[in-house]
Amino acid sequence: MASHESTFRPSTRAGKWLDERLPLTRMMHGQFVDFPTPRNINYLWTTGGLLVFFLGVQIATGVALAMHYIPSAADAFNSVEAIRRDVNYGWLLRNVHMVGASFFFLAAYIHIGRGLYYGSYKTPREILWILGVVIFLLMMATAFMGYSLPWGQMSFWAVTVITNLFSSIDSVIPGLGTRIVQWLWGGFSVSGTTLTRFYALHYLLPFVIAAVVGLHIWALHVAGQNNPTGIDIKSPAEAVPMTPYAVVKDIFALSVFVLLFAWFVFYLPDYLGHPDNYTEANPLSTPPHIVPEWYFLPYYAILRAIPNKLLGVIAMFSSILLLIFVPWLDTSRVRSAKYRPVYRVFFWMFVISVIALGYIGSKPPEGEYITWGRVFTAYYFLHLLVILPIVGVIETPKPLPRSISEAVLGERAKQSATAGGVS
Amino acid sequence: MASQTAEEPNRRDFIVIAAQAFATVGAAVALWPFIHQMNPDASTQALASTEVDISPVKPGQAITVLWRGKPVFIRNRTPEEVKAAKAVRLADLRDQAARNDALPDNARATDENRSKLGKENWLILIGICTHLGCIPKGQSMGDARGDYGGWFCPCHGSHYDTAGRIRQGPAPRNLEVPPYEFLSDTQIRIG
């Protein structure tokens, strides 16, 4: 799909001059104006644009905040308070950056779910999918280090707990885990030294993300976009140019999403955070209940579900790393869950178990929460490792339409008959 | 002549391999300062010691002091707590090693090996949960002390007994005993 006729003709002499030397405008025109987009993509296909927008917002507000933030154990907490109270528009920049992280993850989770539902990881989009998992991991690392910067109680203890995950290596090679943890800390405990290096990396990683996003979009534009039917575009009539059609749809979806975002920024900036983080870090007292930010809760629940330290850590990391192998774990040749009645049921069970794990992750590790945490953790791995390969083999998919046009027109005919139907 | 033409590529091969090896080793060597700069530096490593006056700590009470940036628990155990710790059979312990810096690695986790002879009421431990580094509860009178009367880590639910040994929960090891000595009956030095 990447090979399409370009309508790009430089109109000015300067444009022509540049085009002969560096065809940058030609490339941008070909990839983001003329680029053929399937006619039938729905609003879930606007999440990619949303994510690009939020990456931009995080970098822009982050650079501004960095002009006022002081990465030292003595001053970090106070400098964040000064940003909120004294710096001109500091309250706005800080709220946008803080809530922006949450909405970035919200959009990413919808985007990943979209990919899992419509089989967007299947051939020829495996590299595209893997790059997405890499971006997700980088986002998690960036968000984790960013959360340490306000140097509140939750910041401090989240860093302590998460960096200590590496000490589990001690049970394989005694002493190595401790050395790694001390290397990360730059001392024998989390300290200002740790804060300063996390700040340096928190500034670096978003630009690494931007670079991998570039590769992700490149891979996307080689394979072309998937669509709700999962069928490839067969004739030029089944595609529309990206600009204005897809871009305007993206902008509309973005404005609705940003409305929700603005509501949180202006009215509920701390709703997704923890009050404990407005108490300055104290290495002598652990808050009674440590929880990570909401977007890490499912993985935190998996960590706690397993009563062995090393195995818990392995389970947590592999819950994400397994996603890399999904293109090969899913044995079905049909992409879209629309035509996969059995997989569709399991897909929603998977979504429910991830949400349930998120809920359990926010609760103290006692009683029934431990049992349910284990049940949903078991399903998470069962889904990826057992159900995905088996369902692909035993399931009889619904008959696939011959083309996107047939799928869309067929649906339209059905809708006019029943007046309403599935949205 | 034939041997000369065969010799020339060999010499070139040597230069190519030498250059590649030089670049590889050079890159590896240049990488080390960037890795090592993150390790604890000498000023951090300098093993500081802390002297503590333990006379105000009455039986049943505990204090927490800071040593090398880590909290150290000093608990004056009641005779019942000592008795309970001694009564535990080794086979019931999750971690059978003493984890005492003053003893060899293969020392067993008996109460004798966790405290000092003649000063068995004093228990001195690094107050960091061996799971993921939280500080267990149990130092203050009102704290939850877990099912075994020692400490309870609220983060992920590890229970320690009155000798600081792991009994239940995800933590893999007993709380560590730091190097310390009694300077007098009321004074100890940690480190």
Side-chain angles (χ1 to χ4, degrees):
Chain A
M1 273 327 304
S3 53
H4 55 276
E5 290 280 314
S6 177
T7 59
F8 182 71
R9 301 278 177 277
S11 51
T12 58
R13 277 183 66 184
K16 200 157 176 282
W17 183 87
L18 180 68
D19 190 49
E20 281 158 4
R21 285 157 182 81
L22 179 71
L24 183 69
T25 31
R26 177 178 294 277
M27 187 196 81
M28 296 304 278
H29 191 91
Q31 296 304 315
F32 301 105
V33 179
D34 283 345
F35 191 76
T37 311
R39 269 174 187 273
N40 60 332
I41 51 174
N42 59 30
Y43 273 107
L44 289 171
W45 266 264
T46 60
T47 47
L50 271 180
L51 287 164
V52 170
F53 172 80
F54 274 102
L55 178 61
V57 167
Q58 291 304 90
I59 290 178
T61 51
V63 168
L65 289 169
M67 295 179 187
H68 305 280
Y69 174 76
I70 306 167
S72 84
D75 299 318
F77 187 83
N78 290 333
S79 74
V80 172
E81 288 309 302
I83 287 169
R84 300 181 76 218
R85 292 150 200 264
D86 302 342
V87 174
N88 299 333
Y89 284 109
W91 60 273
L92 179 66
L93 294 166
R94 204 247 167 171
N95 284 359
V96 167
H97 197 74
M98 189 172 70
V99 178
S102 275
F103 275 70
F104 199 169
F105 272 96
L106 177 61
Y109 279 123
I110 300 171
H111 193 72
I112 295 168
R114 196 265 332 257
L116 285 173
Y117 187 82
Y118 292 110
S120 301
Y121 46 82
K122 287 184 195 180
T123 185
R125 298 187 181 86
E126 298 94 330
I127 294 290
L128 172 61
W129 170 261
I130 291 170
L131 287 168
V133 179
V134 171
I135 295 168
F136 184 50
L137 286 168
L138 287 168
M139 276 173 69
M140 293 177 105
T142 311
F144 163 66
M145 291 189 205
Y147 192 56
S148 72
L149 304 184
W151 210 236
Q153 273 289 67
M154 276 296 177
S155 300
F156 184 90
W157 290 101
V159 172
T160 301
V161 167
I162 301 302
T163 49
N164 260 308
L165 293 177
F166 292 96
S167 69
S168 60
I169 299 169
D170 274 346
S171 56
V172 188
I173 305 165
L176 179 67
T178 307
R179 288 208 63 177
I180 292 174
V181 173
Q182 289 178 355
W183 176 71
L184 290 170
W185 288 342
F188 300 103
S189 56
V190 175
S191 64
T193 315
T194 324
L195 175 66
T196 312
R197 63 187 56 181
F198 274 24
Y199 175 66
L201 294 173
H202 182 70
Y203 204 114
L204 168 72
L205 285 185
F207 298 98
V208 179
I209 293 178
V212 185
V213 166
L215 295 177
H216 190 67
I217 294 173
W218 185 3
L220 172 71
H221 282 221
V222 170
Q225 280 170 294
N226 190 19
N227 65 77
T229 65
I231 304 168
D232 292 330
I233 296 175
K234 297 222 169 78
S235 74
E238 289 176 343
V240 288
M242 183 167 166
T243 308
Y245 298 97
V247 169
V248 170
K249 190 168 178 165
D250 278 359
I251 293 171
F252 178 70
L254 177 68
S255 45
V256 173
F257 198 75
V258 165
L259 218 57
L260 182 69
F261 175 59
W263 183 46
F264 272 84
V265 168
F266 292 109
Y267 293 100
L268 300 165
D270 288 311
Y271 182 76
L272 298 164
H274 302 286
D276 275 322
N277 221 24
Y278 288 100
T279 308
E280 194 169 358
N282 176 3
L284 279 178
S285 143
T286 308
H289 185 42
I290 301 185
V291 260
E293 292 283 85
W294 69 267
Y295 39 82
F296 290 141
L297 288 173
Y299 312 105
Y300 194 59
I302 291 175
L303 169 76
R304 298 195 304 187
I306 290 158
N308 175 296
K309 178 172 165 178
L310 180 67
L311 293 180
V313 173
I314 289 173
M316 187 183 78
F317 281 113
S318 51
S319 68
I320 301 162
L321 293 177
L322 262 183
L323 292 175
I324 290 174
F325 303 100
V326 162
W328 295 278
L329 287 168
D330 185 349
T331 49
S332 173
R333 277 201 230 150
V334 177
R335 286 200 190 108
S336 175
K338 222 174 158 177
Y339 305 106
R340 301 186 58 193
V342 182
Y343 170 70
R344 192 161 57 194
V345 175
F346 285 114
F347 168 82
W348 287 113
M349 279 171 67
F350 185 67
V351 171
I352 289 167
S353 55
V354 170
I355 294 170
L357 281 171
Y359 174 73
I360 290 159
S362 72
K363 294 290 164 192
E366 36 190 53
E368 274 185 40
Y369 294 122
I370 296 180
T371 321
W372 284 108
R374 286 179 188 161
V375 170
F376 289 114
T377 300
Y379 183 75
Y380 186 101
F381 287 100
L382 209 64
H383 179 91
L384 294 178
L385 290 171
V386 180
I387 294 171
L388 221 46
I390 290 179
V391 166
V393 175
I394 60 166
E395 174 185 53
T396 316
K398 288 186 192 167
L400 285 178
R402 259 167 299 168
S403 66
I404 293 174
S405 313
E406 195 193 275
V408 174
L409 292 176
E411 215 171 69
R412 212 172 273 167
K414 219 188 294 167
Q415 268 177 4
S416 57
T418 57
V422 221
S423 58
Chain B
M1 287 303 273
S3 69
Q4 238 178 3
T5 49
E7 212 173 20
E8 269 200 346
N10 280 343
R11 196 182 288 174
R12 184 162 291 178
D13 283 351
F14 175 78
I15 292 169
V16 168
I17 291 167
Q20 283 171 345
F22 180 80
T24 310
V25 173
V29 169
L31 197 62
W32 179 242
F34 289 92
I35 294 169
H36 194 48
Q37 53 90 12
M38 281 174 68
N39 274 321
D41 61 23
S43 70
T44 314
Q45 272 188 328
L47 194 123
S49 58
T50 307
E51 288 186 20
V52 187
D53 175 16
I54 53 174
S55 59
V57 189
K58 299 283 173 274
Q61 293 183 335
I63 56 167
T64 307
V65 296
L66 212 55
W67 170 67
R68 277 177 141 192
K70 300 174 180 185
V72 172
F73 291 166
I74 301 172
R75 191 191 272 196
N76 190 347
R77 299 186 289 177
T78 60
E80 294 80 46
E81 284 173 337
V82 177
K83 224 175 107 188
K86 284 189 192 297
V88 177
R89 289 187 309 141
L90 268 180
D92 293 340
L93 293 174
R94 290 264 301 275
D95 175 17
Q96 312 228 334
R99 307 287 171 197
N100 187 336
D101 277 4
L103 296 174
D105 284 351
N106 58 3
R108 303 305 218 119
T110 57
D111 191 60
E112 289 76 16
N113 281 345
R114 304 271 299 159
S115 53
K116 280 217 188 332
L117 195 65
K119 304 272 188 193
E120 272 116 342
N121 58 320
W122 292 103
L123 190 61
I124 287 134
L125 303 167
I126 292 181
I128 294 177
C129 181
T130 56
H131 180 224
L132 294 175
C134 294
I135 298 178
K137 294 275 165 199
Q139 287 294 91
S140 305
M141 297 305 273
D143 281 355
R145 288 184 167 183
D147 295 351
Y148 297 87
W151 288 269
F152 171 69
C153 184
C155 293
H156 307 94
S158 292
H159 299 254
Y160 295 92
D161 68 11
T162 52
R165 295 173 296 201
I166 181 67
R167 302 301 293 278
Q168 189 189 323
R173 293 190 312 277
N174 301 326
L175 292 176
E176 199 185 326
V177 181
Y180 69 95
E181 57 182 329
F182 280 89
L183 300 175
S184 69
D185 280 353
T186 59
Q187 194 84 3
I188 62 165
R189 183 170 61 206
I190 305 163

